[in-house]
């Protein structure tokens, strides 16, 4: 039997101490059918959204709390829920409070499309700021915690525990079967298995987590305690309470906008052409190339490429998905994301810009990927990028599926090829969730606004680089246009201070989905 959000808060906090921080959910664009779904969900769950936030006392200590309500549309996170989470995290940071979060969710709210998917960026950014301010963040995963929720705020805790028997993973078993025609291996996406493989810190019921959280906060919040004066005996525990503007407007230059009305599904099919130019074609038009390999700690993933290079004289570190190294049986795993973070850290340490290239059909879906921490690595990449102390440019070159794409997205400037696209799942997977078949994939591709033109209108993409009509038919000319566009963006970004860039980037992703 699933624990509701209110039951969780009642078991975790001191009796009667919870004070809600929630305001009415922000308005989002919704069809009549979706409005009916929201009303029915509120009636079923007894909450006005999929998350409750506030503060309370844990054994006398003041703490901030976030708790998902699975009864509200399977705990899915859309714009309104994400805004509530971010507002609470920011308030906890301002008040200097430790934060306890308990997600339980099927992931992104499919009814709101890609704009809901990218909300995970601003959630991760708010948590990164909370952590950077030195405040503890403890997570308790409930059954189930899946998808973008696990790959963002579910995986960013200083300590992470889970409910016994909880289903915890990146991709839901039903969607996996619909996409690949076979069942996901049993016993992989369980809290116990992730604990045994070092992905989370333990599997305990709520009363034990309350005890663990109390002990952890004693250590993390109270500082050294004085030794008793009499005999130098053991320490005594202290129980008392402790008391992004949007990027610049589209600039002129070599990258012309493609204003053609290409259907989302058409872009998906075009992006899947085997002869479409990828990151290696871009690097062929770079100078001073110095290839890099692996994490530097004994891991290597052939589905990604990273290098030092100059694009039209602009120095940078380049990291991205290599479409030539990917296949249905070989997609990016946790090691690829650790290589991405190596590139991020190099860029920050060497004070050079970072260029990230997105071109992936999705991250690895396997027992090994789950057990080696795929979802936590996605979350760490997002958090690192939002707070990175160097200029960043992200390039949506082709396919942009799932967390593997989102991990490389939150840059100062985001470019897209005219037929690039971004979505939480391939349209076939979204169709399976919404309609329980894959026949509605073209319809979902349009409804979810995944294509480059829609992403630009929604503030996710800043600039579109044309294809005439398809990059695969003009690989050299397209690569030259993209390299010129990247160089133009790098030149503009490097003229600004690091502090200005960081402030603008965080505000940019903070505002996503809220309109102008």
């Amino acid at each position: 039997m699933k624990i509701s959000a209110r039951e969780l808060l009642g078991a975790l906090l001191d009796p009667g101490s919870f004070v809600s921080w929630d305001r009415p959910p922000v308005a989002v664009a919704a069809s009549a059918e979706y409005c009916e779904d929201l009303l029915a969900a509120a009636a079923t769950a007894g909450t006005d959204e999929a998350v409750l936030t506030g503060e309370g006392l844990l054994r006398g200590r003041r703490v901030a709390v976030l708790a998902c309500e699975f009864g509200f549309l399977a705990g899915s996170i859309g714009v309104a829920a994400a805004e509530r989470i971010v507002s609470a995290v920011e308030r906890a940071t301002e008040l200097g409070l430790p934060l306890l979060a308990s997600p339980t969710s099927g992931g992104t709210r499919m009814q709101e499309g890609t704009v809901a998917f990218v909300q995970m960026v601003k959630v991760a950014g708010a948590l990164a700021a909370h952590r950077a301010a030195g405040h503890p963040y403890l997570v308790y995963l409930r059954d189930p915690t899946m998808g973008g929720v696990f790959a963002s705020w579910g995986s960013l805790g200083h300590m992470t525990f889970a409910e016994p028997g909880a289903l915890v993973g990146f991709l839901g078993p039903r969607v996996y079967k619909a996409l690949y025609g076979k069942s996901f291996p049993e016993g992989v996406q369980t809290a116990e298995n992730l604990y045994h493989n070092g992905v989370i810190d333990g599997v305990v019921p709520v009363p034990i987590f309350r005890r663990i959280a109390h002990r952890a906060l004693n250590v993390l919040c109270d500082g050294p305690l004085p030794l008793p004066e009499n005999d130098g005996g053991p320490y005594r525990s202290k129980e008392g309470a402790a008391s992004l503007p949007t990027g610049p407007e589209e600039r002129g230059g070599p990258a012309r906008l493609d204003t053609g009305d290409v259907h989302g599904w058409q872009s998906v099919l075009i992006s899947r052409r085997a002869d479409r130019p990828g990151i290696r074609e871009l690097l062929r038009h770079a100078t001073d190339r110095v290839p890099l390999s692996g994490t530097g700690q004994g891991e290597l993933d052939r589905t990604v490429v990273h290098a030092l290079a100059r694009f039209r004289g602009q120095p940078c570190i380049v990291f991205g998905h290599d479409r030539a190294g990917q296949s249905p049986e070989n997609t990016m795993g946790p090691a690829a994301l650790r290589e991405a973070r190596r590139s991020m850290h190099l860029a920050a340490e060497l004070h050079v810009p970072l260029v990230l290239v997105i071109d992936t059909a999705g991250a690895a879906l396997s027992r090994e990927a789950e057990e080696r921490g795929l979802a936590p690595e996605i979350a760490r990449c997002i958090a690192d990028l939002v707070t990175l102390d160097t200029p960043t440019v992200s390039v949506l070159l082709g396919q942009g599926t799932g967390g593997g794409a989102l991990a490389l997205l939150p840059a100062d400037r985001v470019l897209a090829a005219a037929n690039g696209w971004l979505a939480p799942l391939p349209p076939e997977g979204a169709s399976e969730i919404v309609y329980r078949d894959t026949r509605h994939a073209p319809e979902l591709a349009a409804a979810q606004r995944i294509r480059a033109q829609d992403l630009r209108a929604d503030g996710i993409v800043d600039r579109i680089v044309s294809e005439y009509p398809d990059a695969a038919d003009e690989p050299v000319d397209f690569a030259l246009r993209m390299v010129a566009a990247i160089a133009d963006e790098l030149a503009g970004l490097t003229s600004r201070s690091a502090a200005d860039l960081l402030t603008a980037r965080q505000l940019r992703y903070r505002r996503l989905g809220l309109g102008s």
Side-chain angles (χ1 to χ4, degrees), residues 82-105:
E83 178 63 18
R84 179 170 286 183
I85 293 168
V86 172
S87 297
V89 174
E90 291 174 340
R91 185 168 178 177
T93 305
E94 181 181 354
L95 294 172
L97 296 179
L99 179 60
L100 278 61
S102 183
T104 173
S105 173

Side-chain angles (χ1 to χ4, degrees), residues 103 134 163 177 185 191 207 209 215 217 243 264 289 329 347 432 507 512:
E163 178 184 8
K177 186 171 185 178
F209 175 70
R215 292 175 181 172
L217 296 179
S243 355
R289 295 187 303 273
E329 297 75 33
E432 170 61 25
L507 185 56
L512 268 179

